[in-house]
Amino acid sequence: NLCLVIKELTGKAPDYFISDLRNPGEERVSRAEDLLQRDCRATLFNRKWIEGMMDEGYAGAQQMAGGVFSALGWAVNREGSVSEDVWEEIVEVYLRDKKNLKIREWFEDKNPYAFQSIAERLLETCRKEYWKPDEAVLREMAVAYAESVARHGHRETGELNKKLDGFLHRVMTAPGLEPQTAQTLQALLEQYRQKS
């Protein structure tokens, strides 16, 4: 990758520009990070886009999950390209239902595996240290993911992601939890592992 070579030689990653040709007559060249921010506002965080995806049911849920997957891809391939506020907004919109769309219930009904994908990508983003939210947010994401897997089974067949499993265990058994909370989370972890 030429960008990695340039970074190694100069100590700084080069700027990355993309030709945005989506709107005839409005073509422009944009920094990749700026284009990503605009795309998130136009799609993942846009109420009308989300409602349109909800109208599409199962396939719309896959599109939402795909958007979060793409954000993680950007974070992996272009260090610093996804700002913390993007990850925080994904949590707000898809886990906390900031837009009051009853989106968690909708995912439960139409495609719980797409919700699992979103939660899993958020957790992987943290595990790989592209984003470092506080422990309460981490635990909230871990619980949402584990609850979905405990209810519906894991979205993919095959081997358990051992690294993610270890990360979930660490997050859900962190010291300092109240005994009742610790007990509840331990039971949830066991249910999650049985369905994974």
Side-chain angles (χ1 to χ4, degrees):
N1 182 323
L2 184 58
C3 290
L4 293 175
V5 171
I6 292 170
K7 183 176 180 180
E8 180 141 339
L9 291 174
T10 67
K12 183 178 180 264
D15 288 333
Y16 184 31
F17 293 93
I18 295 177
S19 296
D20 185 355
L21 308 174
R22 292 177 290 185
N23 297 319
E26 297 177 24
E27 299 85 357
R28 61 180 159 183
V29 175
S30 300
R31 284 181 55 243
E33 292 81 0
D34 297 337
L35 187 61
L36 176 65
Q37 290 281 349
R38 278 198 307 273
D39 275 356
C40 285
R41 284 192 306 272
T43 57
L44 283 179
F45 309 147
N46 181 316
R47 182 184 189 91
K48 288 191 181 292
W49 183 85
I50 295 168
E51 287 172 337
M53 292 300 102
M54 291 173 84
D55 288 344
E56 296 299 320
Y58 182 92
Q62 289 296 105
Q63 287 292 318
M64 293 178 203
V68 177
F69 182 77
S70 292
L72 177 56
W74 274 102
V76 169
N77 288 299
R78 178 85 177 150
E79 186 179 336
S81 63
V82 184
S83 61
E84 286 196 8
D85 63 321
V86 167
W87 301 119
E88 290 163 2
E89 191 68 8
I90 291 170
V91 170
E92 287 294 328
V93 171
Y94 294 96
L95 270 67
R96 296 179 179 155
D97 195 21
K98 174 183 178 178
K99 305 214 178 265
N100 297 314
L101 295 168
K102 299 191 183 308
I103 200 158
R104 293 278 294 273
E105 294 89 341
W106 177 81
F107 274 115
E108 277 291 305
D109 182 49
K110 300 298 181 188
N111 189 343
Y113 304 113
F115 177 78
Q116 283 179 28
S117 177
I118 290 170
E120 183 176 340
R121 300 299 176 227
L122 287 167
L123 289 164
E124 286 286 25
T125 299
C126 300
R127 184 181 72 78
K128 294 176 179 180
E129 299 187 352
Y130 297 115
W131 175 40
K132 296 177 184 174
D134 65 34
E135 286 293 319
V137 173
L138 264 176
R139 195 168 302 111
E140 178 184 1
M141 294 185 298
V143 166
Y145 176 67
E147 284 176 342
S148 182
V149 173
R151 261 193 310 279
H152 302 287
H154 194 266
R155 67 186 182 86
E156 295 177 2
T157 57
E159 284 190 32
L160 177 68
N161 179 337
K162 290 185 170 107
K163 289 181 180 177
L164 180 61
D165 181 65
F167 183 73
L168 277 175
H169 185 266
R170 183 192 69 73
V171 169
M172 293 174 72
T173 60
L177 293 172
E178 292 182 16
Q180 183 71 29
T181 303
Q183 206 171 32
T184 301
L185 292 178
Q186 188 61 44
L188 179 56
L189 264 175
E190 288 170 17
Q191 291 173 357
Y192 155 77
R193 285 186 173 141
Q194 288 171 4
K195 294 287 186 116
S196 291

